[in-house]
Amino acid sequence: MCSDSVAGSDETESKASWIEGVAILVAVVVVVLVTAFNDWRKERQFRGLQSKIEHQHKFAALRAGQVQQIAVADLLVGDICHVKYGTTSNTVHVIVTPLSTMGYTSVGSVSHSRQWCY
């Protein structure tokens, strides 16, 4: 009688062994989908904040002979910006001073040249 019950449990166990594999596969799919959704939501939130910052951050710039407050995204080639302490810009720019110009790149290299500046 004892041997019959052991043989019977092997049959039911072999018939239902696929359930464990499917359960593991479903668990992995659920974890991957939840993680992907959370990453997508955080990325969307980050892009929204980045866009908001770009449109709110303004420079005082000389354009058409007048000083105007211009959003960073709307700066054009030829705009002369008033740079103050703590101002940040992700651009290649030239600092104009009364006696000389200094060219700066976004990596911080400097090239000095003596010119008459207007």
Side-chain angles (χ1 to χ4, degrees), residues 83 89 91-95 102-106:
V83 181
S89 171
T91 61
V92 176
H93 52 276
V94 176
I95 296 178
M102 297 181 288
Y104 287 87
T105 64
S106 59

Side-chain angles (χ1 to χ4, degrees), residues 24-36:
I24 291 171
L25 184 62
V26 167
V28 169
V29 167
V30 167
V31 168
V32 167
L33 290 176
V34 168
T35 303

Side-chain angles (χ1 to χ4, degrees), residues 25-99:
L25 184 62
V26 167
V28 169
V29 167
V30 167
V31 168
V32 167
L33 290 176
V34 168
T35 303
F37 176 73
N38 284 338
D39 288 346
W40 173 77
R41 192 178 61 187
K42 288 179 185 178
E43 181 71 23
R44 189 179 67 176
Q45 183 181 15
F46 175 76
R47 296 285 179 204
L49 290 173
Q50 187 71 19
S51 175
K52 187 176 180 181
I53 288 170
E54 285 178 359
H55 293 306
Q56 288 181 349
H57 189 95
K58 295 187 182 272
F59 268 101
L62 182 65
R63 184 183 280 180
Q66 297 177 355
V67 176
Q68 302 173 0
Q69 292 292 328
I70 300 173
V72 173
D74 297 331
L75 287 175
L76 301 173
V77 174
D79 287 338
I80 299 175
C81 298
H82 296 273
V83 181
K84 299 175 185 168
Y85 180 76
T87 302
T88 60
S89 171
N90 295 331
T91 61
V92 176
H93 52 276
V94 176
I95 296 178
V96 180
T97 63
L99 300 176

Side-chain angles (χ1 to χ4, degrees), residues 5-18:
S5 65
V6 172
S9 67
D10 286 339
E11 282 182 27
T12 57
E13 192 173 305
S14 65
K15 288 180 182 178
S17 64
W18 64 272

